[in-house]
Amino acid sequence: MDNKTDYQTAFDFMLEGDHEVVVFGVLKRLNVRPWHEHYQDLVQEGRLEFVDAYQKYPDQRDDEKQMLSYIYQSVKWRLLDKLRRSTRVSTPIFFWGGRNTNQPIL
């Protein structure tokens, strides 16, 4: 199969039934609520990872429960990495420096 067909199959599977709920379940588990400033971005990242994980899963897709568990973990790890990176970049680190000063140094 070509790459376009693979992606279409994966997207169709995600939209079939309630499989997309996996992405929202991961976001809830990570305590990312709809009012979070990057919520919609993380939803899209989760959907993309869902499709990627579906494609990486072995060709034996008979056990849907096990496959969705694998996809859930993959989505969770990717979104957790995204959240860690954004926190690490946006959090300033304060050092208390100087011999006789109580001023923070950025």
Side-chain angles (χ1 to χ4, degrees):
M1 287 192 335
D2 63 357
N3 202 15
K4 186 177 180 181
T5 306
D6 290 344
Y7 279 112
Q8 187 62 46
T9 304
F11 274 109
D12 290 343
F13 179 77
M14 181 179 65
L15 297 175
E16 169 185 303
D18 61 349
H19 297 149
E20 191 177 17
V21 171
V22 169
V23 175
F24 297 105
V26 168
L27 288 169
K28 185 175 181 181
R29 176 77 171 120
L30 295 177
N31 202 23
V32 177
R33 303 296 186 222
W35 52 84
H36 186 275
E37 64 181 326
H38 300 294
Y39 182 79
Q40 290 301 323
D41 295 333
L42 292 170
V43 168
Q44 294 302 325
E45 284 288 334
R47 288 175 177 153
L48 292 173
E49 182 57 31
F50 187 104
V51 170
D52 288 343
Y54 180 85
Q55 290 179 338
K56 292 175 190 173
Y57 196 79
D59 290 330
Q60 300 121 353
R61 295 186 173 135
D62 297 334
D63 189 1
E64 190 173 296
K65 183 177 180 181
Q66 184 178 4
M67 181 176 58
L68 287 173
S69 174
Y70 170 81
I71 291 172
Y72 179 91
Q73 276 298 95
S74 184
V75 170
K76 181 179 174 185
W77 290 335
R78 182 166 177 177
L79 294 183
L80 193 56
D81 285 344
K82 288 282 184 187
L83 287 169
R84 284 180 184 153
R85 279 191 210 117
S86 69
T87 303
R88 184 175 50 207
V89 169
S90 66
T91 304
I93 299 174
F94 292 98
F95 295 99
W96 294 96
R99 291 185 171 93
N100 294 324
T101 64
N102 291 330
Q103 299 288 330
I105 300 172
L106 291 177

